[in-house]
Amino acid sequence: RFASIASHDLQEPVRKILAFGSRLQSEATGLTLGAQDHLKRMLAASARLQRLVNDLLQYARVTSRGGAFTQVDLAQVVHD
């Protein structure tokens, strides 16, 4: 239950970071290379956080509702 509540509460701030970061990236033409790199890293970290939050929500659903097992590509899992 905690994982489900936490993941739902974290989704909105992460979406805002990604949305405003993307907007800033598209509008900021005069940034230094260093600032562009910081922005790029921020967006990448935010995307990773969004995936983690979504995975946490999926985990909460599996443990609370159960579900059928599915085959996964382990090479892709290791890559991710």
Side-chain angles (χ1 to χ4, degrees), residues 19-32:
F20 287 118
S22 295
R23 186 177 295 172
L24 181 61
Q25 189 176 42
S26 67
E27 294 175 2
T29 57
L31 292 178
T32 66

Side-chain angles (χ1 to χ4, degrees), residues 5-67:
I5 292 168
S7 64
H8 277 291
D9 289 347
L10 290 172
Q11 282 179 344
E12 183 59 24
V14 172
R15 277 195 295 264
K16 293 289 186 194
I17 292 168
L18 285 168
F20 287 118
S22 295
R23 186 177 295 172
L24 181 61
Q25 189 176 42
S26 67
E27 294 175 2
T29 57
L31 292 178
T32 66
L33 290 179
Q36 290 174 14
D37 183 56
H38 293 321
L39 186 57
K40 180 181 171 186
R41 289 173 185 241
M42 182 193 75
L43 288 171
S46 299
R48 284 193 309 274
L49 180 57
Q50 186 175 47
R51 283 192 302 274
L52 288 170
V53 169
N54 288 333
D55 290 346
L56 181 62
L57 183 58
Q58 283 183 334
Y59 174 75
R61 287 179 181 150
V62 167
T63 58
S64 66
R65 298 181 191 160

Side-chain angles (χ1 to χ4, degrees), residues 72-80:
V72 297
D73 180 359
L74 291 180
Q76 185 64 44
V77 171
V78 169
H79 175 74
D80 290 345

